[in-house]
Amino acid sequence: MTATSTDKISALAARIEARLPDQVVRVHSLPDELCYEVQPAHIRQVCLALRDDPALKFEILIDLAGIDYLDYASDEWKTLSATASGFSRGVNRDGPRRPHDGARFAVAYQLLSVSHNHRVRLRARCEDAEDPHIDSVVEIWPGANWFEREAFDLFGILFTGHPDLRRILTDYGFIGHPFRKDFPLIGNVEVRYDADKQRVVYEPVSIEPRTLVPKVIRHDNRYDAALKTQK
């Protein structure tokens, strides 16, 4: 990253922190990125300030996404080095889970200022892990409508004040939220067309859960005993 980029990030951070001194906390990010933690109670106020302040003017919400911190930083796959038996990629979801540090669910906001050509990322953690909720920003950026519906559908995060909070990707009657880390990878039900009933039917999933450990050991014929020079 050039000195000019560093100066630009520093100048933007100074403007944001001067405008919102007690409402944002800068968190670790890549050198060319700027990220702030926001308390959920302040998210609407912070977003309004970032949009309306002439020195900031973040007119566009590029993206909004849910985050599940369950098992955060817990390493299940040993892939740092190869062994004679290949890479071990075993995942056993039935074992004990690592307790998450702090709030389990969060929402990330990616903002863009077209006027000033700069970006910022916000992260707000939902306080209630059992019933995660946070204020909607649809009134601030109408484009958040579908983003918030997606986060609700996949993570179960509720957005207070959303005008039409309903599922957007999963089927009618779907139970659960598939992007939660405790949602079974094989799902809970499977769908098929029943020719006798002439309709789609839902049935309990028939796939047997198992621990997958794919290990690929490729034979290299360059070291085949038959090709070695006989002494």
Side-chain angles (χ1 to χ4, degrees), residues 40-148:
H42 299 156
I43 190 63
R44 279 182 52 82
Q45 186 176 355
V46 169
C47 288
L48 279 170
L50 293 175
R51 186 195 66 178
D52 297 340
D53 190 304
L56 302 174
K57 211 167 185 180
F58 286 95
E59 310 102 327
I60 299 177
L61 172 70
I62 297 178
D63 191 21
L64 179 154
I67 307 171
D68 184 358
Y69 283 106
L70 184 67
D71 294 335
Y72 180 69
S74 178
D75 185 12
E76 292 178 324
W77 289 10
K78 297 178 181 179
T79 58
L80 295 179
S81 61
T83 66
S85 59
F87 287 108
S88 176
R89 300 178 183 268
V91 178
N92 188 354
R93 291 295 187 184
D94 296 330
R97 290 188 171 275
R98 177 181 181 274
H100 52 87
D101 182 16
R104 173 179 171 181
F105 295 100
V107 181
Y109 307 79
Q110 307 284 353
L111 308 182
L112 169 66
S113 170
V114 176
S115 301
H116 301 298
N117 189 27
H118 53 220
R119 302 167 186 262
V120 69
R121 178 169 66 252
L122 305 179
R123 183 183 65 190
R125 293 177 179 257
C126 304
E127 295 177 350
D128 190 345
E130 298 300 324
D131 184 25
H133 60 274
I134 195 169
D135 288 337
S136 171
V137 295
V138 170
E139 293 183 358
I140 302 172
W141 296 291
N145 191 324
W146 282 19
F147 292 146
E148 291 182 350

Side-chain angles (χ1 to χ4, degrees), residues 10-26:
S10 299
L12 175 59
R15 289 196 294 270
I16 292 176
E17 291 162 20
R19 177 65 178 82
L20 302 162
D22 301 321
Q23 296 172 306
V24 296
V25 177
R26 189 170 179 178

Side-chain angles (χ1 to χ4, degrees), residues 184-191 202-209:
L185 295 178
I186 60 175
N188 294 312
V189 297
E190 59 186 26
V191 182
Y202 292 82
E203 297 174 337
V205 65
S206 59
I207 302 174
E208 295 183 2

Side-chain angles (χ1 to χ4, degrees), residues 186-199:
I186 60 175
N188 294 312
V189 297
E190 59 186 26
V191 182
R192 68 175 180 85
Y193 179 77
D194 190 303
D196 295 331
K197 297 180 180 179
Q198 296 187 348
R199 63 179 177 85

